[in-house]
Amino acid sequence: MEELTLTTPALLFSAVSLILLAYTNRFLSYAQLVRQLRDRYMENPSDITEAQIENLRKRLNLTRRMQGLGIASLFFCVVSMFLIYIGLQLFSAYVFGLALILLIASLGVSFREIQISTRSLEIYLGTMEKGKNKK
């Protein structure tokens, strides 16, 4: 195995930071949508709004997991850089491998969340089309 240098985890460090920014933006947009749906539900309770809120709850939980795994990946990436700095090459390689696995897990959860989001939008568009056909 080739020796791990500081530049390898440093590249992952910047990529994970950008991914975490995207996850945070997604979380903030979901939070705003939850507030809007809650207000709508309080004014006029409906099964559709209740289902949308439940769907958003699932998506928020997945987003929280994505963020947690991404933060853990970033943490172990930094630990790996520190271990390289103090000369513990072999241990740093294992820690960096763990950071990569956590990043893969975070991206996997993100993929699942996107699938749920897409399904939610398809349901919403389907209800719009049904309403249009009734008119």
Side-chain angles (χ1 to χ4, degrees):
M1 178 170 76
E2 289 186 33
E3 187 174 305
L4 196 61
T5 64
L6 278 173
T7 54
T8 305
L11 290 173
L12 183 66
F13 185 88
S14 60
V16 172
S17 297
L18 288 174
I19 288 171
L20 286 174
L21 181 63
Y23 291 169
T24 301
N25 288 339
R26 186 179 296 172
F27 178 81
L28 292 174
S29 66
Y30 287 162
Q32 182 180 10
L33 188 55
V34 165
R35 290 182 189 99
Q36 291 171 356
L37 284 173
R38 183 200 172 275
D39 292 343
R40 186 185 318 160
Y41 184 79
M42 296 307 279
E43 290 174 10
N44 183 21
S46 73
D47 291 340
I48 293 173
T49 306
E50 189 174 339
Q52 287 176 329
I53 291 170
E54 185 58 36
N55 182 279
L56 276 172
R57 181 176 283 120
K58 288 178 189 175
R59 290 159 58 189
L60 280 168
N61 285 331
L62 287 174
T63 302
R64 183 179 56 208
R65 281 191 212 133
M66 292 170 0
Q67 288 175 319
L69 290 167
I71 290 167
S73 176
L74 187 61
F75 174 79
F76 284 111
C77 186
V78 172
V79 169
S80 175
M81 292 170 71
F82 178 73
L83 293 171
I84 292 168
Y85 179 73
I86 62 173
L88 297 175
Q89 291 294 325
L90 183 61
F91 192 50
S92 69
Y94 289 120
V95 171
F96 182 67
L98 178 60
L100 290 175
I101 290 169
L102 290 169
L103 180 58
I104 289 168
S106 176
L107 293 172
V109 174
S110 176
F111 181 72
R112 178 69 182 132
E113 191 277 329
I114 289 170
Q115 288 177 322
I116 291 172
S117 297
T118 303
R119 193 172 327 131
S120 173
L121 290 173
E122 288 172 357
I123 291 169
Y124 187 72
L125 290 173
T127 59
M128 286 175 45
E129 289 171 354
K130 287 179 186 175
K132 182 180 176 183
N133 291 336
K134 287 182 181 177
K135 291 179 180 180

